[in-house]
Amino acid sequence: MATLAFASLTSPPFSSARRSLSIHGRFAFLHKMLGWGRRSLLLPITCSSSESEPNQNADSDAKTAPLAPSSSSSLTDKLYVGLGGVGFLETTYLTYLKLTNSDAFCPIGGGSCGDILSSDYAVVFGVPLPLFGMVAYGLVATLGVQLLTAKKLPFGIGESNARLVLLGTTTSMAAASACFLYILSTKFSGASCSYCLLSALLSVTLFFITLKDLGLEKVQKEVGLLLCIASLVFVTLNRSYSAYPPVSSSPSEIDLPYFTTEITTPSSPFAIALAKHLNAIGAKMYGAFWCSHCVEQKQMFGREAAKLLNYVECFPGGFRKGTIMEKACIDVGIEGFPTWVINGQVLSGEKDFTELAQESGFELNESSPPP
């Protein structure tokens, strides 16, 4: 198009010059015109984009078009969501217990979970440890949901960077879990904490899932970063525990011989009648000699009524490193002390007279003393 325009614009002056100019002048004029023409012929080369634009558009589309997620990536993202969600719920529950100073029920080991959760190892620089876990698991689950649904990631990060964030997060979680498992085996030897073991299992599983997701070649490039993250976790925990040394002794350092606690409160007629009824229907109270809640439960019944209760001591030989509960207590599935078994129903924790009467079918008018 540029060449045609050039021809139509220059043909009139070229005709008049041929009639009026000399041969020398005509050659000079032609030389001038051809020189301008050569310059104008460069225009199609420098301005034309008819061939390059499709290639550029194709390259741009290849860079910006999102890659369709493979089935393996989809499964990995689902695992991020599922395992991260379970860990988030668990650590949220433990954070609530820590902030409210509530007792934690542990399926195995009696009150070990509560002892560990209330220890100084459950706090890092004054912040409850489960709170860190709640944030970490929440981040993993959130990124997993967004990667799975292809929604816009927070802070404008891309998918590859999001997976690097997951790698860093799960690395810190796995490093912390390794540290706490070491503490659990050395400082709390003989004690067990199902919540701690579950959290460690989730953290390590998420870590290996992330390694598999990124691939060996990508992970090798980030080995230095992973080592720095793990070292930072170890140093932070060590500084925290050095700054705030444990005040109370851990269960592994306790050697507590069995002892009995005298019940000093008098029993009311209601308490005696209820104790007789519980004994008659085969209800049992499971407890530990060192458990303050068990003593309070007996004090509620009083001196005379407490003797009528069918009480089962879970640590008759005392409590020391490696001590295991009585088989009768293990078979019941003790989660905490005291534990009542009434009409085949397991009731954990201290109960008042009204609850015990309702669960056992005790008629309240039976407690009225004769006039």
Side-chain angles (χ1 to χ4, degrees):
M1 294 297 291
T3 305
L4 293 176
F6 165 73
S8 62
L9 290 173
T10 58
S11 56
F14 178 77
S15 299
S16 60
R18 186 175 55 183
R19 289 193 299 266
S20 60
L21 296 177
S22 63
I23 295 175
H24 180 272
R26 273 182 271 177
F27 276 109
F29 182 76
L30 285 172
H31 177 74
K32 180 179 180 182
M33 295 296 295
L34 290 174
W36 182 53
R38 281 198 301 271
R39 286 194 297 271
S40 64
L41 289 174
L42 295 175
L43 295 177
I45 298 174
T46 58
C47 298
S48 175
S49 60
S50 59
E51 293 182 358
S52 60
E53 283 182 354
N55 294 332
Q56 292 175 354
N57 292 336
D59 294 340
S60 178
D61 293 341
K63 293 179 181 179
T64 59
L67 297 176
S70 63
S71 58
S72 60
S73 297
S74 178
L75 176 60
T76 301
D77 296 338
K78 290 179 181 178
L79 290 175
Y80 287 142
V81 176
L83 298 180
V86 172
F88 178 78
L89 292 176
E90 181 207 17
T91 50
T92 299
Y93 169 67
L94 295 179
T95 301
Y96 168 77
L97 295 179
K98 186 68 177 176
L99 294 177
T100 58
N101 294 321
S102 302
D103 294 330
F105 294 120
C106 189
I108 302 174
S112 298
C113 289
D115 295 336
I116 296 172
L117 186 61
S118 61
S119 70
D120 293 322
Y121 292 103
V123 178
V124 177
F125 291 114
V127 180
L129 179 63
L131 184 59
F132 289 102
M134 186 175 69
V135 173
Y137 282 119
L139 177 61
V140 170
T142 300
L143 290 177
V145 169
Q146 293 180 317
L147 289 172
L148 186 63
T149 58
K151 290 185 177 181
K152 185 177 180 181
L153 295 169
F155 309 112
I157 62 176
E159 179 181 348
S160 59
N161 289 333
R163 297 194 184 278
L164 287 179
V165 172
L166 285 171
L167 178 61
T169 303
T170 55
T171 299
S172 63
M173 294 164 63
S177 296
C179 181
F180 295 131
L181 287 177
Y182 171 77
I183 293 175
L184 188 64
S185 62
T186 56
K187 303 297 183 180
F188 296 91
S189 180
S192 61
C193 177
S194 56
Y195 301 112
C196 307
L197 298 178
L198 174 60
S199 183
L201 178 62
L202 292 173
S203 299
V204 174
T205 302
L206 285 170
F207 173 67
F208 282 108
I209 288 175
T210 309
L211 292 181
K212 184 178 182 300
D213 181 36
L214 289 178
L216 180 61
E217 182 179 353
K218 184 71 172 179
V219 172
Q220 287 177 340
K221 296 179 180 179
E222 307 296 339
V223 168
L225 176 62
L226 300 185
L227 292 176
C228 290
I229 293 175
S231 300
L232 179 62
V233 171
F234 289 135
V235 170
T236 301
L237 294 177
N238 183 64
R239 290 289 300 273
S240 174
Y241 297 147
S242 299
Y244 301 96
V247 177
S248 58
S249 299
S250 65
S252 62
E253 301 171 349
I254 295 177
D255 187 358
L256 191 62
Y258 176 80
F259 62 87
T260 59
T261 302
E262 183 182 1
I263 307 302
T264 57
T265 58
S267 297
S268 65
F270 179 89
I272 294 175
L274 179 59
K276 289 180 179 180
H277 173 74
L278 292 171
N279 188 295
I281 65 173
K284 294 182 179 180
M285 172 186 168
Y286 296 83
F289 68 95
W290 43 262
C291 171
S292 60
H293 295 289
C294 300
V295 175
E296 292 173 359
Q297 185 78 94
K298 292 180 180 179
Q299 293 282 13
M300 184 186 74
F301 276 92
R303 183 172 49 253
E304 297 81 11
K307 295 178 182 178
L308 300 174
L309 296 174
N310 191 356
Y311 174 75
V312 179
E313 173 59 52
C314 293
F315 296 93
F319 183 85
R320 60 185 61 83
K321 179 180 179 179
T323 300
I324 301 177
M325 290 191 298
E326 289 290 291
K327 186 177 183 302
C329 300
I330 297 176
D331 293 340
V332 170
I334 302 295
E335 294 184 348
F337 298 116
T339 292
W340 288 89
V341 177
I342 303 175
N343 294 328
Q345 185 176 2
V346 179
L347 306 173
S348 298
E350 193 175 347
K351 305 298 178 183
D352 58 27
F353 284 144
T354 302
E355 292 178 276
L356 293 173
Q358 291 176 349
E359 295 294 339
S360 64
F362 180 68
E363 296 292 338
L364 298 179
N365 55 13
E366 294 182 12
S367 65
S368 301

